[in-house]
Amino acid sequence: MLRVGSKAACMACRNLVSTNMGIRFRVPLQKLHPLSRAIHHRYSGNTNPQRPPHRTAARYFTSMSRLPMRPPKPPPGSGGRGYQQQRNFWMVRLAARLLRLRYILLGTAVGGGYTAKKTYEEWKDMLPDFSEYNWIIPDFVWELSEQIDFDKLAKALPEIEEIAKLLPDMDKIGENFTFLKSLLSSGVSLGSEVKGASGLHLLLETSGDPQLKATDSSAAAAHDASDKQYKKSSDKEKIDQLQEELLRTQLKYQRMLERLEKENKELRKVVLQKDDKGIHQRKVKKSLIDLYSEVLDILSDYDANYNTQDHLPRVVVVGDQSAGKTSVLEMIAQARIFPRGSGEMMTRSPVKVTLSEGPHHVALFKDSGREFDLTKEEDLAALRHEIELRMRKSVKEGQTVSSETISLSVKGPGIQRMVLVDLPGVISTVTAGMASDTKETIFSISKAYMQNPNAIILCIQDGSVDAERSIVTDLVSQMDPQGKRTIFVLTKVDLAEKNLASPSRIQQIVEGKLFPMKALGYFAVVTGKGSNAESIDSIKDYEEDFFQNSRLLRDGMLKAHQVTTKNLSLAVSDCFWKMVRESVEQQADVFKASRFNLETEWKNNYPRLRELDRNELYEKAKNEILDEVISLSQVTPQHWEAILQKKLWERVSTHVIENIYLPAAQTMDSGTFNTTVDIKLKQWTDKQLPHKALEVAWETLQEEFARFMAEYKGKDQDDIFDKLKEAVKDESIKRHKWNERAMDSLRVIQHNALEDRSITDKPQWDAAIQFMEETLQSRLKDTESVIRDMVGPDWKQRWLNWKNRTPDQHVRNETKNELERLLKLHDDHTAYLANDEVTTVRKNLEGRGVEVDPVLIKDTWHQLYRRHFLQKALSHCNLCKRGFYYYQRHFVDSELECNDVVLFWRIQRMLVITANTLRQQLTNTEVRRLEKNVKEVLDDFGEDTERKIHLITGRRVQLAEDLKKVREIQEKLEAFIEALHKEK
């Protein structure tokens, strides 16, 4: 007979409750209370209570309920005692049937309420913290969650009065049921299923039969021992069930979160598109991350002085080559934006990527206005090509990588806001085609970014290769030994799980037990199957499916918050903004102090000068240079013609004397002289004279330009512009090309001027004679100077200056004396020595003990005859001063034939006409063209930052540049801090 409150009844009730809740617990008979087994053996006819029947407690309890309702007749001779026992047993059966209904009702209520509460609490604990996503999840979701509580659940239980009518002695049971209901209302947990059964055991014990209490207490010890053995065998099954349920719940809420985020993206996109409609009517308000990115861009161009270093946070992505850095970055940016290669180095320079939220998924460079639509494959291909071109352009000749940063912004709905810098992959060996210092250069670039104490290091490790081959982990450990700002990411986990014989090795990596480095967090991600054609959405689906079915997550080697690039992106963004909030104000104070130092230095060294940076100084110099070019138009025509005539004659005089006048003057009569002159002048005009004239004009323009710049320099001009002006002048002259049509017209004018032989008046005649005398005297002076150099100092110089002749000069002097005697004997000698004359001179010198070469004799004769001829020409020129009358009357008098005067008049007239023509071309055309060229050169220099830095230098310039940069950085930081406080 079952006693009310016994443990057998409790176990039977537990089986029924569990069955009604849909949970099947198979409890062997050994696990039942000993009293329950005794009752079974007694009424089932089993004489061996120690034999363990392998049937469930529910079946035994059911067999008891199938006992006949009417008691059997007492055997003869038993008397009233047997009848009384049968009557008592009939009452027990009736009570059992009535109590069965009570057990079902109460067990269902208690077990259902407890199971519902426990399931809700487990699901609630498994949910991630949604406090950071209040902006994503609508308010009605939170309102719905707040509506679920156990007060309403307790009120939903049936009232005790409805059941009391069917049960005996329900007053006592009602009090206990009310107490149990109050416990549920107050949210008190009932613990495990065993504790719930114990509570039901106490409830039943208060209304049971006192005779069964002693038997129940004697069998309790045996039940406890068997119950412990049962728990050990069922704990593993429960843990497996809970883990599977945990994974299903996490995936469920992950999908819910992604659905809500997708809806939120669409809503925010609509809102941002509405805001864009008024973009031209109002000033665009920059986002928080854009303000911060501008500060970083300015700092990247700032050459830090006064120990002011850039310690502002950014996410530095480092890893071994081909470890998957670029793929992780693309998953965070939600677009395949980087060039890709198979095993080769693709990242050749740092790439700063500013991620922010926007209505459209676009990318643009800092120095370009073009937007690349990341939803179109054509724009994605163009963006990848542009990044590759910029990388190769930044790499200097003979190098493999560059430290020059490429700045890129990516905007799109739902993108986490942060600034990342993708660095070239760390290599262990320099291969063919690389510069010898490539490995050291990559290390120095990585260290330069990681040594920033506020930089977040995103360490990427390839999970598909042996961990011992990693180089970057040692480098990261050196820069961040405590791991206070490092996030470790294990990529290609799908390949790692497939290839590794021991998956627990992955668990060691993500728990930080395999590498010596420490980190804030460890993540495992999958960034695709290795195909370049995969889209971001397909990679996300593949990653989700992999982790959903992976035994790494199912067996507890990885935790749910450690997997997927989505969780990685959220964690990195949170860490980034936390670091920004902690350090940005301190950095603002540092730059404020640096600004004070720079301003103090300027006041002490340049108190009366304005703070003009390099661009402002360039504009000032540009205006000064243009003013100097305009000054060329103020040069008088007389000045231009005088300079041009003088320079042109200096350029052509040698050719006129040596190739035209001297050969013609050695002829025997005037007809031959004029014929020779006309032929040579025609040849000279057709081939050389126009070119020489234009060269002279261009050089004159340059000299006048330089003269004006030099004169302007004395008028309080800053000497800081000297290098710039010289470079502008040289480049302008280099680009300037004289008008080709001017040469043809100049040739005609010169030819016509040389054709004219008619001297109309005496002043022209006198001017020609003067021009001839000046020219011949100049040539005679030059010739005598050459002869003196050849023969050495004369006796006066030797005595007064203590100088001696060299052996060669002594030979030259002896040769000169011998040739002078020859000229005295033959005053009308020709310009060339005959061979017999050379032999005679050489023998005469040998007779005096002087050995001489025939070539030296001819060379010396050339200079002596030239002097002799010029002296005779000057004497003839003096005679022709009175020959204009004979020239005008066309008298033929051999002694007064002044054809050489006419030649010099023709040359002089050609010079005057050519100078006038060139002056007109200069003032009317070339000066304006030069001014245009100067403007073009200045514009080109203005766009070339490196050239400006090279041409405008000095401490004053650098100090003004630093002041401008520091002020700009401080202003940007203050604006960013203000916006950051508003967002808080």
Side-chain angles (χ1 to χ4, degrees):
M1 180 175 62
L2 289 176
R3 182 167 59 94
V4 178
S6 67
K7 289 193 175 182
C10 293
M11 295 301 294
C13 180
R14 175 173 178 256
N15 183 60
L16 292 174
V17 171
S18 301
T19 303
N20 290 329
M21 290 302 296
I23 304 175
R24 300 179 63 183
F25 291 94
R26 297 186 59 84
V27 184
L29 186 60
Q30 293 90 330
K31 300 297 181 178
L32 293 176
H33 195 276
L35 182 58
S36 177
R37 293 199 299 269
I39 295 173
H40 164 69
H41 296 316
R42 177 180 178 182
Y43 295 104
S44 62
N46 186 6
T47 60
N48 186 9
Q50 300 300 324
R51 183 175 60 87
H54 297 283
R55 286 180 293 178
T56 63
R59 292 180 58 191
Y60 284 94
F61 189 80
T62 305
S63 66
M64 293 171 58
S65 64
R66 295 174 182 174
L67 295 174
M69 295 299 294
R70 294 182 179 179
K73 295 182 179 180
S78 61
R81 185 180 59 83
Y83 178 78
Q84 185 65 28
Q85 290 179 352
Q86 293 180 0
R87 184 169 175 265
N88 292 337
F89 183 70
W90 178 84
M91 293 177 63
V92 170
R93 287 188 299 166
L94 179 61
R97 290 204 171 194
L98 293 175
L99 287 175
R100 181 184 180 189
L101 177 61
R102 182 179 67 175
Y103 295 154
I104 293 174
L105 293 176
L106 292 179
T108 302
V110 174
Y114 168 71
T115 305
K117 181 178 185 304
K118 183 176 180 181
T119 303
Y120 169 75
E121 291 294 339
E122 290 177 352
W123 285 7
K124 187 176 180 181
D125 293 339
M126 289 185 295
L127 281 176
D129 186 7
F130 288 102
S131 60
E132 298 292 336
Y133 303 95
N134 291 335
W135 58 278
I136 296 178
I137 301 178
D139 294 337
F140 72 85
V141 177
W142 304 116
E143 295 174 0
L144 181 62
S145 65
E146 291 175 357
Q147 294 175 3
I148 303 174
D149 55 24
F150 279 94
D151 292 335
K152 296 182 179 180
L153 182 61
K155 293 179 181 179
L157 292 174
E159 295 297 334
I160 193 63
E161 289 80 2
E162 299 177 3
I163 306 173
K165 298 177 181 180
L166 303 175
L167 300 175
D169 197 9
M170 293 304 297
D171 293 337
K172 191 68 174 179
I173 297 175
E175 294 177 0
N176 291 293
F177 189 83
T178 305
F179 172 73
L180 178 61
K181 185 176 180 180
S182 65
L183 289 178
L184 285 175
S185 301
S186 60
V188 178
S189 177
L190 294 179
S192 63
E193 289 82 359
V194 177
K195 291 183 179 179
S198 300
L200 184 60
H201 162 72
L202 294 174
L203 177 66
L204 295 175
E205 188 177 48
T206 57
S207 58
D209 191 349
Q211 293 180 355
L212 292 177
K213 290 182 180 181
T215 308
D216 183 31
S217 59
S218 63
H223 169 71
D224 291 339
S226 60
D227 193 47
K228 289 180 181 179
Q229 185 178 359
Y230 163 73
K231 287 182 180 179
K232 291 180 181 179
S233 61
S234 60
D235 282 346
K236 182 173 175 47
E237 296 180 1
K238 292 181 180 179
I239 291 173
D240 293 340
Q241 292 176 357
L242 289 174
Q243 286 182 347
E244 292 179 0
E245 185 178 359
L246 175 64
L247 289 176
R248 288 193 298 269
T249 306
Q250 287 177 337
L251 292 175
K252 174 183 177 182
Y253 283 103
Q254 184 72 20
R255 294 191 185 97
M256 181 187 298
L257 180 61
E258 291 177 354
R259 179 178 57 81
L260 293 173
E261 287 180 348
K262 185 177 180 180
E263 294 176 358
N264 182 65
K265 284 182 184 179
E266 298 297 329
L267 293 175
R268 292 180 66 85
K269 183 175 180 179
V270 172
V271 172
L272 291 172
Q273 286 176 344
K274 289 181 179 179
D275 289 342
D276 286 343
K277 293 180 180 179
I279 193 170
H280 300 291
Q281 288 75 20
R282 59 182 176 85
K283 184 178 180 181
V284 179
K285 182 179 180 181
K286 295 183 179 179
S287 65
L288 192 64
I289 190 64
D290 290 334
L291 291 174
Y292 187 76
S293 180
E294 287 181 357
V295 175
L296 296 182
D297 288 335
I298 298 172
L299 285 173
S300 65
D301 300 330
Y302 175 61
D303 186 13
N305 291 321
Y306 299 94
N307 297 324
T308 303
Q309 299 179 359
D310 175 15
H311 287 169
L312 288 175
R314 68 263 283 162
V315 181
V316 180
V317 186
V318 296
D320 298 327
Q321 183 177 343
S322 302
K325 298 186 293 74
T326 301
S327 299
V328 172
L329 212 59
E330 288 179 338
M331 292 295 291
I332 296 176
Q334 300 181 16
R336 310 205 73 173
I337 58 178
F338 291 103
R340 310 185 69 82
S342 178
E344 60 178 323
M345 179 180 292
M346 298 305 299
T347 306
R348 297 180 177 269
S349 65
V351 182
K352 182 177 76 68
V353 183
T354 302
L355 301 179
S356 59
E357 192 173 20
H360 306 289
H361 202 186
V362 296
L364 66 158
F365 293 96
K366 179 186 72 172
D367 55 353
S368 174
R370 178 185 176 183
E371 282 191 350
F372 297 88
D373 189 350
L374 302 183
T375 60
K376 298 180 180 179
E377 187 57 38
E378 303 83 25
D379 283 18
L380 278 171
L383 176 61
R384 291 192 289 264
H385 181 65
E386 180 68 19
I387 292 176
E388 185 175 4
L389 287 179
R390 288 175 178 255
M391 285 184 180
R392 296 188 180 277
K393 184 179 178 180
S394 66
V395 177
K396 297 180 180 179
E397 186 177 357
Q399 299 294 320
T400 306
V401 294
S402 169
S403 60
E404 182 179 343
T405 303
I406 299 173
S407 184
L408 177 69
S409 296
V410 177
K411 299 181 180 181
I415 294 180
Q416 297 298 320
R417 303 175 302 168
M418 67 185 90
V419 177
L420 304 101
V421 181
D422 185 21
L423 300 179
V426 179
I427 61 175
S428 58
T429 305
V430 176
T431 59
M434 292 185 179
S436 59
D437 61 343
T438 302
K439 179 179 177 180
E440 291 75 14
T441 304
I442 294 176
F443 269 80
S444 63
I445 294 174
S446 301
K447 288 182 179 179
Y449 277 91
M450 289 191 293
Q451 69 184 3
N452 178 0
N454 295 321
I456 301 166
I457 303 173
L458 195 63
C459 180
I460 309 298
Q461 170 63 33
D462 189 350
S464 63
V465 300
D466 295 335
E468 291 76 12
R469 295 169 56 186
S470 175
I471 306 172
V472 71
T473 52
D474 294 335
L475 180 61
V476 173
S477 299
Q478 296 175 10
M479 307 307 298
D480 185 24
Q482 302 300 322
K484 295 182 178 180
R485 51 189 181 90
T486 300
I487 297 177
F488 182 86
V489 182
L490 186 66
T491 61
K492 305 177 184 179
V493 182
D494 52 341
L495 299 179
E497 184 185 34
K498 180 180 179 181
N499 299 334
L500 289 180
S502 176
S504 61
R505 191 173 177 85
I506 299 178
Q507 183 179 6
Q508 290 180 322
I509 295 176
V510 298
E511 290 179 353
K513 297 179 180 179
L514 189 62
F515 292 110
M517 62 169 288
K518 300 179 181 178
L520 282 173
Y522 297 84
F523 288 86
V525 298
V526 175
T527 55
K529 301 178 181 179
S531 173
N532 295 339
E534 289 181 285
S535 64
I536 295 296
D537 292 335
S538 63
I539 295 175
K540 285 183 178 179
D541 295 339
Y542 173 72
E543 183 182 41
E544 182 180 344
D545 293 340
F546 168 76
F547 283 115
Q548 183 177 357
N549 301 318
S550 173
R551 60 171 178 166
L552 297 173
L553 200 62
R554 186 173 62 252
D555 296 345
M557 298 181 185
L558 297 177
K559 297 181 176 59
H561 67 272
Q562 290 182 305
V563 298
T564 72
T565 51
K566 179 67 176 177
N567 291 335
L568 171 64
S569 176
L570 293 172
V572 174
S573 178
D574 291 342
C575 187
F576 169 75
W577 285 108
K578 180 182 178 182
M579 191 73 77
V580 168
R581 292 185 175 92
E582 291 176 353
S583 61
V584 67
E585 293 188 2
Q586 181 182 0
Q587 287 294 301
D589 294 338
V590 170
F591 281 101
K592 185 176 181 181
S594 177
R595 174 180 176 178
F596 175 79
N597 295 337
L598 294 172
E599 290 176 345
T600 303
E601 181 181 356
W602 183 274
K603 291 177 182 178
N604 293 332
N605 295 325
Y606 313 101
R608 298 183 179 181
L609 295 177
R610 289 191 301 122
E611 297 175 7
L612 299 179
D613 60 16
R614 185 171 281 108
N615 291 330
E616 293 170 338
L617 288 171
Y618 183 80
E619 291 299 322
K620 182 180 178 181
K622 179 179 178 180
N623 294 330
E624 290 183 3
I625 293 172
L626 293 176
D627 291 341
E628 293 162 8
V629 175
I630 293 175
S631 300
L632 287 174
S633 61
Q634 300 176 1
V635 179
T636 62
Q638 295 79 8
H639 182 73
W640 278 119
E641 292 180 8
I643 296 175
L644 289 169
Q645 185 175 345
K646 179 182 178 181
K647 291 183 68 65
L648 181 59
W649 176 239
E650 290 175 354
R651 184 66 58 86
V652 302
S653 60
T654 301
H655 180 83
V656 171
I657 298 299
E658 302 294 336
N659 298 327
I660 298 177
Y661 174 63
L662 290 179
Q666 296 174 10
T667 58
M668 301 303 295
D669 52 40
S670 61
T672 306
F673 177 88
N674 292 330
T675 303
T676 303
V677 167
D678 290 343
I679 293 173
K680 291 185 176 296
L681 287 177
K682 180 68 168 60
Q683 294 174 352
W684 182 45
T685 305
D686 291 340
K687 297 180 180 180
Q688 299 181 12
L689 184 57
H691 294 279
K692 296 290 184 180
L694 292 182
E695 289 178 2
V696 168
W698 181 221
E699 291 176 3
T700 304
L701 181 62
Q702 297 178 38
E703 292 177 358
E704 288 300 302
F705 182 34
R707 182 176 67 85
F708 274 97
M709 293 180 69
E711 291 178 357
Y712 197 87
K713 180 179 178 181
K715 301 177 181 179
D716 298 331
Q717 187 192 21
D718 201 336
D719 57 359
I720 205 170
F721 302 142
D722 291 348
K723 291 179 64 176
L724 174 62
K725 290 186 176 182
E726 190 68 23
V728 171
K729 183 191 71 173
D730 295 342
E731 184 66 22
S732 301
I733 291 170
K734 182 180 178 181
R735 295 186 184 185
H736 187 80
K737 302 294 182 183
W738 204 276
N739 191 357
E740 295 180 357
R741 291 178 298 177
M743 185 178 297
D744 297 332
S745 61
L746 183 62
R747 180 181 292 107
V748 174
I749 293 172
Q750 291 173 337
H751 181 74
N752 293 334
L754 292 173
E755 285 286 329
D756 190 6
R757 303 179 186 176
S758 59
I759 305 176
T760 57
D761 53 18
K762 185 69 166 57
Q764 294 183 12
W765 181 269
D766 294 339
I769 290 177
Q770 183 182 0
F771 175 60
M772 180 179 175
E773 284 183 339
E774 293 175 353
T775 303
L776 294 178
Q777 287 175 356
S778 175
R779 292 293 167 178
L780 180 59
K781 185 178 179 180
D782 294 340
T783 303
E784 289 179 346
S785 176
V786 172
I787 293 174
R788 283 195 301 269
D789 293 339
M790 290 172 60
V791 301
D794 57 9
W795 65 272
K796 290 183 180 180
Q797 293 177 340
R798 291 198 303 270
W799 279 97
L800 296 177
N801 299 330
W802 293 84
K803 292 182 179 180
N804 294 320
R805 290 173 177 158
T806 64
D808 183 67
Q809 289 175 342
H810 176 70
V811 174
R812 291 269 188 182
N813 184 62
E814 294 295 330
T815 305
K816 178 182 78 74
N817 295 333
E818 185 67 25
L819 292 174
E820 284 178 346
R821 285 194 290 269
L822 179 63
L823 281 174
K824 288 180 181 179
L825 294 174
H826 304 282
D827 186 64
D828 295 333
H829 200 287
T830 60
Y832 301 100
L833 282 175
N835 291 332
D836 56 347
E837 292 176 329
V838 173
T839 303
T840 301
V841 171
R842 184 167 62 84
K843 289 182 177 181
N844 292 337
L845 292 173
E846 289 177 354
R848 295 198 295 268
V850 178
E851 295 290 337
V852 63
D853 187 73
V855 177
L856 187 144
I857 296 174
K858 292 181 179 180
D859 184 45
T860 306
W861 168 259
H862 175 73
Q863 297 299 330
L864 291 176
Y865 180 81
R866 182 186 181 87
R867 183 180 65 177
H868 175 71
F869 174 80
L870 292 174
Q871 290 173 349
K872 288 179 63 177
L874 282 171
S875 300
H876 182 69
C877 183
N878 289 328
L879 293 175
C880 288
K881 288 181 180 180
R882 57 184 177 86
F884 178 71
Y885 175 78
Y886 298 99
Y887 168 79
Q888 195 175 24
R889 297 294 186 275
H890 301 287
F891 290 155
V892 179
D893 188 352
S894 59
E895 294 183 359
L896 292 176
E897 287 182 353
C898 297
N899 294 319
D900 49 357
V901 176
V902 176
L903 171 62
F904 277 92
W905 178 83
R906 294 167 68 182
I907 297 296
Q908 186 182 36
R909 186 168 180 270
M910 182 273 298
L911 294 175
V912 173
I913 294 175
T914 302
N916 181 268
T917 304
L918 293 176
R919 189 265 306 167
Q920 293 180 14
Q921 292 181 358
L922 283 172
T923 56
N924 297 334
T925 305
E926 302 304 327
V927 170
R928 294 192 180 94
R929 293 181 63 221
L930 177 62
E931 182 179 356
K932 181 180 178 181
N933 289 338
V934 170
K935 289 181 179 179
E936 291 177 354
V937 170
L938 288 171
D939 292 339
D940 293 344
F941 283 9
E943 296 176 357
D944 192 343
T945 304
E946 293 183 359
R947 190 185 291 266
K948 285 194 296 184
I949 293 174
H950 175 70
L951 296 176
I952 303 179
T953 58
R955 178 56 189 162
R956 173 183 145 201
V957 182
Q958 190 60 45
L959 186 58
E961 283 286 306
D962 292 345
L963 269 171
K964 177 185 176 183
K965 291 287 186 182
V966 170
R967 288 195 183 106
E968 187 177 6
I969 292 170
Q970 185 182 359
E971 292 172 0
K972 295 288 185 181
L973 279 175
E974 290 175 353
F976 172 73
I977 292 171
E978 183 180 357
L980 187 64
H981 289 165
K982 288 182 180 179
E983 186 176 80
K984 287 182 181 180

